[in-house]
Amino acid sequence: MKKFATEQEVLAVVKKVKDIGLGAQVDVGEEMTVVVVFGVNTGGIETGVFQVFPGVEQVVRIEKPYKLASRDFKVSDTIIDIGPVRIGGRELVIMAGPCSVESEKQIMECAQIAKACGAKVLRGGAFKPRTSPFSFQGLGIEGLKMLQKAKKETGLLIVTEVVSSETVRLVSEYADILQIGARNMQNYPLLDAVGKTQKPVLLKRGFCATLEELLMAADYILQYNPKPNVILCLRGIRTPVDANRFTFDICHLPKLRELTHLPIIADPSHPAKYSRYVPDLAYGAIAMGVDGLIVEIHPNPQNAQSDGLQSLKFGDFATMMEAIGRLAEVRGRIV
Ligand code: PEP
Ligand code: MN
């Protein structure tokens, strides 16, 4: 829209979009307002249909297959406010906790150390997407209740994974941020269901997914939300190199930043394989300019039900967090 287009002019365009059976989202920026039009076969519609409306500056076809996640739709960085925590702004947000919630004692101990070291969000899976059906699948609703208790004690926000459409409602009663795991990044009915909750979502990159596929997955969620609510997470991808569990895809951050306005965090635990590699991967990600980290910790990694090998012991986590505080400053961030 033109710089001084009126609200009525914007609304008239939105009405036209809807009248021809398409979806519209409006991004009100400081400089100008953008109306994004989406739907199937938009390529078949002439741009002049909108160009004739008063207040329209120009009609641009977005070549990219993703729209709402794109910088073409929203130029400025998105900041997601979740209670007292802002993701995507100056704050470097640390999320920490075990891979799986295993017991009340375990999650409470993790929550306390996470809080004491400056983390703002507690992670922990109650529903686990395990590669083998014979591996520990999580405590389910009992695990969610333990997370809730830990939140009550510490004030930390909760991020926890949702693995099926049927449990989206249940999990969203407990989670402040819904986590979509790498294995579910292209589970489109699940993305739809999560999008409809309008809760903040942590979307992890599938380990064979391109950046384009990641952003199209984000669009599935964003289409239900007038305000962007997706946090992207780089967590390692599959390559022929097996020095680690996954190859840390942090080198894709600058490109991803160019493509999208969404906040981007990194997971240094899942690519690492061994916990002793985690701190260096975390420092690298911070130096590259991520908006936050999600890290696995455990009071007793030898006995963990999942991902013990990569989980940091509390002492090592505390040491890492001190270094993170200093490193964050270099990037103009505060922990
Ligand atoms: C997890 O966070 O524990 C997890 C299963 O991660 P990912 O989906 O990235 O493998
Ligand atoms: Mn894990």
Side-chain angles (χ1 to χ4, degrees), residues 162-205:
V162 55
V163 297
S164 66
S165 306
E166 299 77 55
T167 49
V168 166
R169 263 186 77 177
L170 172 69
V171 178
S172 53
E173 278 170 33
Y174 294 86
D176 298 291
I177 306 170
L178 293 167
Q179 179 177 329
I180 296 286
R183 289 159 191 78
N184 272 316
M185 190 207 84
Q186 287 178 307
N187 181 341
Y188 301 117
L190 180 61
L191 299 179
D192 274 322
V194 160
K196 284 176 188 164
T197 68
Q198 301 202 324
K199 287 214 138 207
V201 178
L202 177 64
L203 179 63
K204 297 186 91 176
R205 181 185 189 180

mmCIF file of all heavy atoms in Angstrom, residues 162-205:
data_model
loop_
_atom_site.group_PDB
_atom_site.id
_atom_site.type_symbol
_atom_site.label_atom_id
_atom_site.label_comp_id
_atom_site.label_asym_id
_atom_site.label_seq_id
_atom_site.Cartn_x
_atom_site.Cartn_y
_atom_site.Cartn_z
ATOM 1 N N VAL A 162 5.043 -31.701 20.887
ATOM 2 C CA VAL A 162 3.750 -32.301 20.581
ATOM 3 C C VAL A 162 3.967 -33.176 19.349
ATOM 4 O O VAL A 162 4.561 -32.740 18.365
ATOM 5 C CB VAL A 162 2.642 -31.225 20.417
ATOM 6 C CG1 VAL A 162 2.999 -30.188 19.376
ATOM 7 C CG2 VAL A 162 1.305 -31.858 20.094
ATOM 8 N N VAL A 163 3.543 -34.441 19.439
ATOM 9 C CA VAL A 163 3.868 -35.390 18.375
ATOM 10 C C VAL A 163 2.657 -35.849 17.559
ATOM 11 O O VAL A 163 2.813 -36.508 16.545
ATOM 12 C CB VAL A 163 4.618 -36.635 18.916
ATOM 13 C CG1 VAL A 163 5.959 -36.245 19.524
ATOM 14 C CG2 VAL A 163 3.788 -37.400 19.922
ATOM 15 N N SER A 164 1.448 -35.492 18.017
ATOM 16 C CA SER A 164 0.279 -35.922 17.250
ATOM 17 C C SER A 164 -0.826 -34.879 17.344
ATOM 18 O O SER A 164 -0.930 -34.150 18.348
ATOM 19 C CB SER A 164 -0.260 -37.249 17.795
ATOM 20 O OG SER A 164 -0.766 -37.044 19.092
ATOM 21 N N SER A 165 -1.652 -34.833 16.293
ATOM 22 C CA SER A 165 -2.751 -33.862 16.276
ATOM 23 C C SER A 165 -3.704 -34.089 17.452
ATOM 24 O O SER A 165 -4.240 -33.135 18.018
ATOM 25 C CB SER A 165 -3.545 -33.983 14.976
ATOM 26 O OG SER A 165 -2.687 -33.878 13.888
ATOM 27 N N GLU A 166 -3.877 -35.357 17.818
ATOM 28 C CA GLU A 166 -4.843 -35.697 18.894
ATOM 29 C C GLU A 166 -4.427 -35.121 20.247
ATOM 30 O O GLU A 166 -5.282 -34.914 21.106
ATOM 31 C CB GLU A 166 -4.977 -37.221 19.061
ATOM 32 C CG GLU A 166 -5.483 -37.989 17.854
ATOM 33 C CD GLU A 166 -4.418 -38.178 16.795
ATOM 34 O OE1 GLU A 166 -3.342 -38.701 17.122
ATOM 35 O OE2 GLU A 166 -4.658 -37.772 15.638
ATOM 36 N N THR A 167 -3.115 -34.908 20.437
ATOM 37 C CA THR A 167 -2.671 -34.426 21.752
ATOM 38 C C THR A 167 -2.353 -32.928 21.761
ATOM 39 O O THR A 167 -1.879 -32.400 22.760
ATOM 40 C CB THR A 167 -1.435 -35.219 22.243
ATOM 41 O OG1 THR A 167 -0.476 -35.256 21.179
ATOM 42 C CG2 THR A 167 -1.802 -36.633 22.658
ATOM 43 N N VAL A 168 -2.623 -32.241 20.654
ATOM 44 C CA VAL A 168 -2.289 -30.812 20.586
ATOM 45 C C VAL A 168 -3.023 -30.019 21.678
ATOM 46 O O VAL A 168 -2.438 -29.192 22.368
ATOM 47 C CB VAL A 168 -2.597 -30.232 19.182
ATOM 48 C CG1 VAL A 168 -2.590 -28.718 19.197
ATOM 49 C CG2 VAL A 168 -1.597 -30.750 18.169
ATOM 50 N N ARG A 169 -4.315 -30.333 21.844
ATOM 51 C CA ARG A 169 -5.081 -29.581 22.851
ATOM 52 C C ARG A 169 -4.547 -29.810 24.251
ATOM 53 O O ARG A 169 -4.388 -28.881 25.045
ATOM 54 C CB ARG A 169 -6.561 -29.962 22.790
ATOM 55 C CG ARG A 169 -7.329 -28.947 21.951
ATOM 56 C CD ARG A 169 -8.795 -29.163 21.952
ATOM 57 N NE ARG A 169 -9.469 -28.730 23.157
ATOM 58 C CZ ARG A 169 -10.780 -28.809 23.286
ATOM 59 N NH1 ARG A 169 -11.504 -29.281 22.299
ATOM 60 N NH2 ARG A 169 -11.353 -28.411 24.389
ATOM 61 N N LEU A 170 -4.291 -31.071 24.543
ATOM 62 C CA LEU A 170 -3.761 -31.425 25.857
ATOM 63 C C LEU A 170 -2.422 -30.727 26.110
ATOM 64 O O LEU A 170 -2.246 -30.038 27.126
ATOM 65 C CB LEU A 170 -3.581 -32.948 25.938
ATOM 66 C CG LEU A 170 -2.851 -33.468 27.182
ATOM 67 C CD1 LEU A 170 -3.711 -33.270 28.418
ATOM 68 C CD2 LEU A 170 -2.476 -34.939 27.024
ATOM 69 N N VAL A 171 -1.491 -30.874 25.181
ATOM 70 C CA VAL A 171 -0.153 -30.316 25.393
ATOM 71 C C VAL A 171 -0.221 -28.788 25.493
ATOM 72 O O VAL A 171 0.489 -28.182 26.297
ATOM 73 C CB VAL A 171 0.829 -30.773 24.278
ATOM 74 C CG1 VAL A 171 2.195 -30.149 24.474
ATOM 75 C CG2 VAL A 171 0.943 -32.298 24.262
ATOM 76 N N SER A 172 -1.114 -28.169 24.709
ATOM 77 C CA SER A 172 -1.143 -26.701 24.747
ATOM 78 C C SER A 172 -1.737 -26.153 26.049
ATOM 79 O O SER A 172 -1.572 -24.982 26.348
ATOM 80 C CB SER A 172 -1.836 -26.118 23.519
ATOM 81 O OG SER A 172 -3.084 -26.690 23.347
ATOM 82 N N GLU A 173 -2.376 -27.009 26.827
ATOM 83 C CA GLU A 173 -2.833 -26.552 28.149
ATOM 84 C C GLU A 173 -1.654 -26.362 29.105
ATOM 85 O O GLU A 173 -1.746 -25.629 30.084
ATOM 86 C CB GLU A 173 -3.799 -27.575 28.758
ATOM 87 C CG GLU A 173 -5.221 -27.432 28.231
ATOM 88 C CD GLU A 173 -6.097 -28.588 28.657
ATOM 89 O OE1 GLU A 173 -5.887 -29.121 29.766
ATOM 90 O OE2 GLU A 173 -6.965 -28.988 27.860
ATOM 91 N N TYR A 174 -0.553 -27.041 28.826
ATOM 92 C CA TYR A 174 0.601 -27.003 29.727
ATOM 93 C C TYR A 174 1.783 -26.202 29.168
ATOM 94 O O TYR A 174 2.582 -25.668 29.924
ATOM 95 C CB TYR A 174 1.074 -28.440 30.030
ATOM 96 C CG TYR A 174 0.065 -29.241 30.809
ATOM 97 C CD1 TYR A 174 -0.960 -29.933 30.163
ATOM 98 C CD2 TYR A 174 0.122 -29.301 32.201
ATOM 99 C CE1 TYR A 174 -1.896 -30.672 30.875
ATOM 100 C CE2 TYR A 174 -0.807 -30.038 32.925
ATOM 101 C CZ TYR A 174 -1.815 -30.719 32.251
ATOM 102 O OH TYR A 174 -2.736 -31.436 32.967
ATOM 103 N N ALA A 175 1.900 -26.182 27.838
ATOM 104 C CA ALA A 175 3.093 -25.576 27.224
ATOM 105 C C ALA A 175 2.905 -24.084 26.982
ATOM 106 O O ALA A 175 1.816 -23.636 26.639
ATOM 107 C CB ALA A 175 3.377 -26.267 25.901
ATOM 108 N N ASP A 176 3.979 -23.329 27.161
ATOM 109 C CA ASP A 176 3.986 -21.932 26.720
ATOM 110 C C ASP A 176 4.436 -21.866 25.268
ATOM 111 O O ASP A 176 4.054 -20.970 24.525
ATOM 112 C CB ASP A 176 4.942 -21.112 27.590
ATOM 113 C CG ASP A 176 4.498 -21.111 29.036
ATOM 114 O OD1 ASP A 176 3.466 -20.493 29.325
ATOM 115 O OD2 ASP A 176 5.157 -21.773 29.874
ATOM 116 N N ILE A 177 5.292 -22.824 24.906
ATOM 117 C CA ILE A 177 5.763 -22.930 23.519
ATOM 118 C C ILE A 177 5.612 -24.389 23.094
ATOM 119 O O ILE A 177 6.092 -25.294 23.775
ATOM 120 C CB ILE A 177 7.253 -22.530 23.397
ATOM 121 C CG1 ILE A 177 7.497 -21.131 23.986
ATOM 122 C CG2 ILE A 177 7.722 -22.604 21.948
ATOM 123 C CD1 ILE A 177 8.971 -20.763 24.130
ATOM 124 N N LEU A 178 4.940 -24.607 21.978
ATOM 125 C CA LEU A 178 4.780 -25.968 21.461
ATOM 126 C C LEU A 178 5.961 -26.301 20.560
ATOM 127 O O LEU A 178 6.274 -25.545 19.638
ATOM 128 C CB LEU A 178 3.480 -26.076 20.651
ATOM 129 C CG LEU A 178 2.188 -25.934 21.453
ATOM 130 C CD1 LEU A 178 1.002 -25.743 20.507
ATOM 131 C CD2 LEU A 178 1.961 -27.144 22.350
ATOM 132 N N GLN A 179 6.616 -27.411 20.847
ATOM 133 C CA GLN A 179 7.763 -27.815 20.038
ATOM 134 C C GLN A 179 7.333 -28.827 18.978
ATOM 135 O O GLN A 179 6.686 -29.819 19.284
ATOM 136 C CB GLN A 179 8.829 -28.440 20.954
ATOM 137 C CG GLN A 179 10.070 -28.938 20.226
ATOM 138 C CD GLN A 179 11.122 -29.473 21.196
ATOM 139 O OE1 GLN A 179 11.226 -29.002 22.326
ATOM 140 N NE2 GLN A 179 11.891 -30.451 20.786
ATOM 141 N N ILE A 180 7.709 -28.511 17.730
ATOM 142 C CA ILE A 180 7.549 -29.491 16.644
ATOM 143 C C ILE A 180 8.940 -30.040 16.369
ATOM 144 O O ILE A 180 9.863 -29.291 16.036
ATOM 145 C CB ILE A 180 6.991 -28.826 15.363
ATOM 146 C CG1 ILE A 180 5.580 -28.287 15.580
ATOM 147 C CG2 ILE A 180 7.015 -29.807 14.192
ATOM 148 C CD1 ILE A 180 4.495 -29.327 15.648
ATOM 149 N N GLY A 181 9.104 -31.339 16.527
ATOM 150 C CA GLY A 181 10.414 -31.951 16.383
ATOM 151 C C GLY A 181 10.813 -32.121 14.928
ATOM 152 O O GLY A 181 9.981 -32.044 14.011
ATOM 153 N N ALA A 182 12.108 -32.358 14.747
ATOM 154 C CA ALA A 182 12.666 -32.509 13.400
ATOM 155 C C ALA A 182 11.907 -33.558 12.593
ATOM 156 O O ALA A 182 11.641 -33.378 11.402
ATOM 157 C CB ALA A 182 14.138 -32.890 13.516
ATOM 158 N N ARG A 183 11.542 -34.651 13.266
ATOM 159 C CA ARG A 183 10.866 -35.747 12.554
ATOM 160 C C ARG A 183 9.450 -35.380 12.121
ATOM 161 O O ARG A 183 8.846 -36.076 11.306
ATOM 162 C CB ARG A 183 10.841 -37.000 13.446
ATOM 163 C CG ARG A 183 12.194 -37.637 13.608
ATOM 164 C CD ARG A 183 12.294 -38.517 14.837
ATOM 165 N NE ARG A 183 13.678 -38.905 15.086
ATOM 166 C CZ ARG A 183 14.606 -38.131 15.648
ATOM 167 N NH1 ARG A 183 14.298 -36.898 16.032
ATOM 168 N NH2 ARG A 183 15.839 -38.541 15.826
ATOM 169 N N ASN A 184 8.913 -34.343 12.660
ATOM 170 C CA ASN A 184 7.540 -33.937 12.335
ATOM 171 C C ASN A 184 7.450 -32.624 11.563
ATOM 172 O O ASN A 184 6.359 -32.101 11.376
ATOM 173 C CB ASN A 184 6.718 -33.810 13.619
ATOM 174 C CG ASN A 184 6.089 -35.139 14.016
ATOM 175 O OD1 ASN A 184 5.555 -35.850 13.162
ATOM 176 N ND2 ASN A 184 6.171 -35.485 15.281
ATOM 177 N N MET A 185 8.593 -32.114 11.126
ATOM 178 C CA MET A 185 8.561 -30.805 10.450
ATOM 179 C C MET A 185 7.650 -30.804 9.223
ATOM 180 O O MET A 185 7.085 -29.781 8.850
ATOM 181 C CB MET A 185 9.970 -30.374 10.045
ATOM 182 C CG MET A 185 10.057 -28.933 9.561
ATOM 183 S SD MET A 185 11.413 -28.652 8.409
ATOM 184 C CE MET A 185 10.654 -29.167 6.847
ATOM 185 N N GLN A 186 7.503 -31.961 8.602
ATOM 186 C CA GLN A 186 6.628 -32.016 7.422
ATOM 187 C C GLN A 186 5.356 -32.813 7.678
ATOM 188 O O GLN A 186 4.735 -33.318 6.745
ATOM 189 C CB GLN A 186 7.401 -32.576 6.226
ATOM 190 C CG GLN A 186 8.403 -31.552 5.706
ATOM 191 C CD GLN A 186 9.234 -32.059 4.565
ATOM 192 O OE1 GLN A 186 9.847 -33.113 4.667
ATOM 193 N NE2 GLN A 186 9.267 -31.317 3.464
ATOM 194 N N ASN A 187 4.961 -32.891 8.939
ATOM 195 C CA ASN A 187 3.682 -33.529 9.289
ATOM 196 C C ASN A 187 2.606 -32.432 9.213
ATOM 197 O O ASN A 187 2.320 -31.740 10.190
ATOM 198 C CB ASN A 187 3.790 -34.118 10.699
ATOM 199 C CG ASN A 187 2.533 -34.822 11.138
ATOM 200 O OD1 ASN A 187 1.458 -34.600 10.587
ATOM 201 N ND2 ASN A 187 2.646 -35.662 12.141
ATOM 202 N N TYR A 188 2.054 -32.260 8.012
ATOM 203 C CA TYR A 188 1.228 -31.076 7.757
ATOM 204 C C TYR A 188 -0.059 -31.015 8.580
ATOM 205 O O TYR A 188 -0.431 -29.945 9.056
ATOM 206 C CB TYR A 188 0.995 -30.914 6.254
ATOM 207 C CG TYR A 188 2.320 -30.776 5.521
ATOM 208 C CD1 TYR A 188 2.735 -31.706 4.582
ATOM 209 C CD2 TYR A 188 3.193 -29.739 5.841
ATOM 210 C CE1 TYR A 188 3.974 -31.597 3.963
ATOM 211 C CE2 TYR A 188 4.429 -29.624 5.233
ATOM 212 C CZ TYR A 188 4.822 -30.552 4.295
ATOM 213 O OH TYR A 188 6.049 -30.443 3.698
ATOM 214 N N PRO A 189 -0.766 -32.138 8.794
ATOM 215 C CA PRO A 189 -1.948 -32.038 9.675
ATOM 216 C C PRO A 189 -1.563 -31.584 11.090
ATOM 217 O O PRO A 189 -2.290 -30.826 11.733
ATOM 218 C CB PRO A 189 -2.497 -33.479 9.690
ATOM 219 C CG PRO A 189 -1.949 -34.119 8.454
ATOM 220 C CD PRO A 189 -0.628 -33.475 8.205
ATOM 221 N N LEU A 190 -0.377 -32.023 11.550
ATOM 222 C CA LEU A 190 0.083 -31.591 12.879
ATOM 223 C C LEU A 190 0.405 -30.090 12.877
ATOM 224 O O LEU A 190 0.048 -29.365 13.815
ATOM 225 C CB LEU A 190 1.313 -32.418 13.296
ATOM 226 C CG LEU A 190 1.919 -32.082 14.670
ATOM 227 C CD1 LEU A 190 0.910 -32.319 15.801
ATOM 228 C CD2 LEU A 190 3.182 -32.922 14.930
ATOM 229 N N LEU A 191 1.042 -29.615 11.817
ATOM 230 C CA LEU A 191 1.357 -28.181 11.722
ATOM 231 C C LEU A 191 0.070 -27.360 11.708
ATOM 232 O O LEU A 191 -0.027 -26.313 12.363
ATOM 233 C CB LEU A 191 2.183 -27.883 10.466
ATOM 234 C CG LEU A 191 3.547 -28.568 10.354
ATOM 235 C CD1 LEU A 191 4.226 -28.193 9.040
ATOM 236 C CD2 LEU A 191 4.446 -28.217 11.520
ATOM 237 N N ASP A 192 -0.941 -27.834 10.989
ATOM 238 C CA ASP A 192 -2.240 -27.158 10.954
ATOM 239 C C ASP A 192 -2.837 -27.092 12.359
ATOM 240 O O ASP A 192 -3.298 -26.036 12.811
ATOM 241 C CB ASP A 192 -3.223 -27.933 10.060
ATOM 242 C CG ASP A 192 -3.101 -27.528 8.600
ATOM 243 O OD1 ASP A 192 -2.888 -26.343 8.323
ATOM 244 O OD2 ASP A 192 -3.223 -28.417 7.732
ATOM 245 N N ALA A 193 -2.825 -28.238 13.038
ATOM 246 C CA ALA A 193 -3.447 -28.314 14.365
ATOM 247 C C ALA A 193 -2.738 -27.389 15.353
ATOM 248 O O ALA A 193 -3.368 -26.697 16.157
ATOM 249 C CB ALA A 193 -3.424 -29.757 14.877
ATOM 250 N N VAL A 194 -1.427 -27.354 15.267
ATOM 251 C CA VAL A 194 -0.642 -26.497 16.158
ATOM 252 C C VAL A 194 -0.878 -25.020 15.821
ATOM 253 O O VAL A 194 -1.018 -24.178 16.706
ATOM 254 C CB VAL A 194 0.850 -26.901 16.052
ATOM 255 C CG1 VAL A 194 1.763 -25.807 16.537
ATOM 256 C CG2 VAL A 194 1.104 -28.186 16.844
ATOM 257 N N GLY A 195 -0.943 -24.725 14.526
ATOM 258 C CA GLY A 195 -1.195 -23.349 14.101
ATOM 259 C C GLY A 195 -2.505 -22.815 14.654
ATOM 260 O O GLY A 195 -2.593 -21.680 15.107
ATOM 261 N N LYS A 196 -3.510 -23.673 14.650
ATOM 262 C CA LYS A 196 -4.844 -23.246 15.098
ATOM 263 C C LYS A 196 -4.887 -22.898 16.589
ATOM 264 O O LYS A 196 -5.797 -22.198 17.020
ATOM 265 C CB LYS A 196 -5.874 -24.331 14.769
ATOM 266 C CG LYS A 196 -6.232 -24.348 13.298
ATOM 267 C CD LYS A 196 -7.190 -25.492 12.974
ATOM 268 C CE LYS A 196 -7.381 -25.596 11.463
ATOM 269 N NZ LYS A 196 -7.977 -26.866 11.065
ATOM 270 N N THR A 197 -3.954 -23.394 17.368
ATOM 271 C CA THR A 197 -3.952 -23.043 18.804
ATOM 272 C C THR A 197 -3.536 -21.594 19.022
ATOM 273 O O THR A 197 -3.778 -21.030 20.069
ATOM 274 C CB THR A 197 -2.969 -23.918 19.619
ATOM 275 O OG1 THR A 197 -1.628 -23.594 19.230
ATOM 276 C CG2 THR A 197 -3.222 -25.394 19.444
ATOM 277 N N GLN A 198 -2.844 -21.019 18.015
ATOM 278 C CA GLN A 198 -2.296 -19.657 18.089
ATOM 279 C C GLN A 198 -1.267 -19.489 19.194
ATOM 280 O O GLN A 198 -0.993 -18.377 19.641
ATOM 281 C CB GLN A 198 -3.421 -18.624 18.205
ATOM 282 C CG GLN A 198 -4.384 -18.703 17.024
ATOM 283 C CD GLN A 198 -5.155 -17.434 16.806
ATOM 284 O OE1 GLN A 198 -5.511 -16.759 17.761
ATOM 285 N NE2 GLN A 198 -5.414 -17.099 15.570
ATOM 286 N N LYS A 199 -0.680 -20.582 19.636
ATOM 287 C CA LYS A 199 0.389 -20.513 20.653
ATOM 288 C C LYS A 199 1.732 -20.322 19.956
ATOM 289 O O LYS A 199 1.888 -20.694 18.793
ATOM 290 C CB LYS A 199 0.451 -21.835 21.410
ATOM 291 C CG LYS A 199 -0.692 -22.039 22.362
ATOM 292 C CD LYS A 199 -0.205 -22.797 23.567
ATOM 293 C CE LYS A 199 -0.779 -22.213 24.800
ATOM 294 N NZ LYS A 199 -0.115 -22.337 25.995
ATOM 295 N N PRO A 200 2.733 -19.809 20.680
ATOM 296 C CA PRO A 200 4.074 -19.775 20.091
ATOM 297 C C PRO A 200 4.554 -21.196 19.782
ATOM 298 O O PRO A 200 4.261 -22.126 20.538
ATOM 299 C CB PRO A 200 4.927 -19.149 21.197
ATOM 300 C CG PRO A 200 3.962 -18.394 22.047
ATOM 301 C CD PRO A 200 2.675 -19.158 22.000
ATOM 302 N N VAL A 201 5.266 -21.338 18.676
ATOM 303 C CA VAL A 201 5.719 -22.655 18.230
ATOM 304 C C VAL A 201 7.224 -22.638 17.975
ATOM 305 O O VAL A 201 7.740 -21.705 17.344
ATOM 306 C CB VAL A 201 4.994 -23.063 16.916
ATOM 307 C CG1 VAL A 201 5.499 -24.416 16.421
ATOM 308 C CG2 VAL A 201 3.480 -23.094 17.117
ATOM 309 N N LEU A 202 7.900 -23.649 18.493
ATOM 310 C CA LEU A 202 9.311 -23.855 18.172
ATOM 311 C C LEU A 202 9.367 -24.923 17.091
ATOM 312 O O LEU A 202 9.043 -26.085 17.339
ATOM 313 C CB LEU A 202 10.073 -24.315 19.425
ATOM 314 C CG LEU A 202 11.552 -24.648 19.215
ATOM 315 C CD1 LEU A 202 12.326 -23.421 18.800
ATOM 316 C CD2 LEU A 202 12.156 -25.217 20.494
ATOM 317 N N LEU A 203 9.746 -24.510 15.888
ATOM 318 C CA LEU A 203 9.749 -25.426 14.743
ATOM 319 C C LEU A 203 11.181 -25.846 14.435
ATOM 320 O O LEU A 203 12.003 -25.029 14.004
ATOM 321 C CB LEU A 203 9.118 -24.725 13.529
ATOM 322 C CG LEU A 203 9.060 -25.528 12.232
ATOM 323 C CD1 LEU A 203 8.192 -26.770 12.354
ATOM 324 C CD2 LEU A 203 8.552 -24.636 11.085
ATOM 325 N N LYS A 204 11.469 -27.138 14.659
ATOM 326 C CA LYS A 204 12.826 -27.617 14.423
ATOM 327 C C LYS A 204 12.968 -28.073 12.965
ATOM 328 O O LYS A 204 12.031 -28.650 12.396
ATOM 329 C CB LYS A 204 13.162 -28.739 15.394
ATOM 330 C CG LYS A 204 13.130 -28.245 16.852
ATOM 331 C CD LYS A 204 13.592 -29.276 17.846
ATOM 332 C CE LYS A 204 15.077 -29.164 18.088
ATOM 333 N NZ LYS A 204 15.546 -30.120 19.134
ATOM 334 N N ARG A 205 14.129 -27.783 12.398
ATOM 335 C CA ARG A 205 14.369 -28.140 10.996
ATOM 336 C C ARG A 205 14.496 -29.661 10.858
ATOM 337 O O ARG A 205 15.240 -30.292 11.601
ATOM 338 C CB ARG A 205 15.667 -27.489 10.536
ATOM 339 C CG ARG A 205 16.007 -27.766 9.089
ATOM 340 C CD ARG A 205 17.368 -27.183 8.746
ATOM 341 N NE ARG A 205 17.612 -27.252 7.322
ATOM 342 C CZ ARG A 205 18.731 -26.803 6.753
ATOM 343 N NH1 ARG A 205 19.668 -26.262 7.489
ATOM 344 N NH2 ARG A 205 18.894 -26.908 5.452
#
